[in-house]
Amino acid sequence: MTMMVQPFLQRSTSERDSSEFYTIATLGSHSALQILKGARDEGFKTLAIAAPDTERLYKSFGFIDEVITIQKYSEFMGLVPELEKRKIIIVPHGSFVAYLSLDDHKKMSIPYFGNKAVLDWEASRELQRQWLTRAGLKVPRQFRTGAEIDRPVIVKLYGAQGGKGYMFLRHSQDFDERAGLLARQDYILQEYVIGVPFYIHYFYSPLTGKLEIMSMDRRYETNVDSLGRIPSRAQEGMDIDPSYVVVGNSPLSLRESMLAEAYRMGEDVVRVSQEICGPKGLFGAFCIETIITPDAQFYIMEVSARIVAGTNLFIDGSPYSYLNYSEPMSTGRRIAREIKNALLSNSLNTVLDDSTQVS
Ligand code: ATP
């Protein structure tokens, strides 16, 4: 029997009481559509904070109850006093983090889904590396200077997003030739792991202590994903460098024999986060960005501590979320379900950052 999503009006009074009076809000970008659709499906009111060029888009969706327009996303903090007066819960996504500074994030006192303490560990590549290593996960080697390079490396600029400006260097001689391009920039030199990029999306529930694999994707990057279309012989003399700019995502499923390892990695990341970022640790949605080598080893490039854009492929659920829910369950909806379950069990504060507790 297929389980139907219960229409809002047919829900029990207690269910309506829990979510009806709260509005889930997010910034109009990244995965806002998924978050707000999920919120509506779970019975919440929904609010998108848009900019003049995105306002009409967000208004065009029936599941968004309200759109507030600000001139620039970076002006979001000016809206905070108004939002604080309402029963709003903020669900952050990647663009939220990109547009607001870490300080603003911490200052924002609107009820906030997630643990802000994780932000510091996520934002610093060094701290992230400590976190991952402590969790027993394999990370690519790092080199401090060009002279140390003894294998192909990827140069990662600090603050870059979506792989912009990354550079592939074959050896230390390559580094010497490009050093001019890197002057006055902060970057890391990381071993280039040859394998397939594989992004695994998780959800950890602080209410049940259970970890779920939600979905998986790979990024489609230009031009590194198209170089194989031109035989290497024909590329000779063409002066093509691989670049890593994300232009899309495609869905993946993992060989089932590797799934237990993927699950264990998620558990280890959560376990260590509870040691380093306060007892609440990392909860809600997160993603481990891996490269899998031919001997089926996962190397970890990064952890994203919230919903990632790759989950937008699965607004209607993924094969993995179907196994747990037998109904469409996007990561956005899973977040709203967690908030609703918290309200129903009188434990909303468990899913909110400690600085934004409600009384
Ligand atoms: P975001 O913050 O949006 O997740 P980013 O700018 O931090 O992205 P990464 O995800 O770290 O970028 O890397 C972008 C791309 O570069 C990856 O998808 C992958 O193709 C490539 N890449 C990154 N690290 C390595 C590595 N160590 N070896 C091989 N390829 C890598």
Side-chain angles (χ1 to χ4, degrees), residues 112-131:
Y112 178 100
F113 179 79
N115 179 1
K116 294 182 193 175
V118 177
L119 285 167
D120 291 323
W121 284 84
E122 187 196 22
S124 149
R125 291 199 194 272
E126 288 73 28
L127 290 178
Q128 253 213 36
R129 205 172 163 82
Q130 283 178 31
W131 178 4

Side-chain angles (χ1 to χ4, degrees), residues 125 140 154 156 160-163 166 190-193 197 199 219 221 244 289 291 301-302:
R125 291 199 194 272
I154 183 162
K156 299 186 168 189
Q161 274 187 331
Y166 284 12
Q190 193 173 82
E191 168 186 9
Y192 193 90
V193 181
Y199 291 67
R219 288 169 166 191
E221 295 168 359
Y244 301 86
E289 307 181 356
I291 295 186
M301 290 182 279
E302 206 171 275

Side-chain angles (χ1 to χ4, degrees), residues 8 148 150 284 315:
F8 177 65
E148 280 180 17
D150 63 355
I315 292 186

